[in-house]
Amino acid sequence: MRHLRGRRSPGGNRLAPHPVYPVMIRTAVPADAPTVVALHRRARATYYPDGFPEGDTSELWEERWAQAIVRPRAHVLLCVRDGAVVGLASFRRPDEAPRGTVKLFQFHTDPAHWRRGVGTELHAACVEQWRADGVREAVLDVHRDNQRAQAFYAARGWTAAGGVDTHRELRLTLPRE
């Protein structure tokens, strides 16, 4: 179990100290899919004020998450506090990406647990795994209206790398240790 204190982002920026918030990071298992879908929907609802896009159903997402959890060479990490899943991250190397690159496909914190260090701890676990996997660069797409997420990533060293329609692409270069 990790306890949060002030730390630096992979880009070297000083992050604000958070109160101690004991969490456990673990790998998702197939039985977690319904819990993951519920958290995913709660988090996404915060930046889709007019409702989810057409065809965006829990059944569709449960199937997608079940596949992501068992996909070879992919990672789905869960952040757990007091037995409840309060954060999740899903990443892998896209087929077309160069070696040493990973894409963070999903990263969500339960809105009821915002500003309590969950995202910081989960992000640190992702970076730790990326370093263990030899990753030098991470990319992600963030919804253009999700200002909270964009500020979170910027504070951890992510920089703009382009964008398409509804999303902005961000990039994180992991420093050599």
Side-chain angles (χ1 to χ4, degrees), residues 66-129:
Q67 291 170 355
I69 288 168
V70 299
R71 185 181 183 132
R73 296 181 305 281
H75 297 272
V76 178
L77 301 180
L78 301 180
C79 186
V80 180
R81 179 174 188 247
D82 295 331
V85 175
V86 295
L88 66 95
S90 174
F91 55 90
R92 66 179 170 80
R93 186 177 68 111
D95 296 334
E96 72 282 358
R99 181 175 230 147
T101 299
V102 69
K103 182 164 186 173
L104 181 58
F105 284 94
Q106 301 285 340
F107 189 94
H108 300 289
T109 299
D110 189 317
H113 295 269
W114 283 350
R115 306 293 306 159
R116 296 186 187 172
V118 172
T120 298
E121 187 68 8
L122 188 58
H123 187 270
C126 290
V127 170
E128 184 177 315
Q129 184 64 55

Side-chain angles (χ1 to χ4, degrees), residues 16 20 29 40-42 47 51 54 66 69 94 103 107 112 116 121 125 130 135 144 150 152:
V20 174
V29 297
H40 181 200
R41 288 189 67 79
R42 285 192 305 276
Y47 57 91
E54 189 173 323
I69 288 168
K103 182 164 186 173
F107 189 94
R116 296 186 187 172
E121 187 68 8
W130 297 339
V135 170
R144 71 172 179 229
Q150 291 177 48
F152 173 86

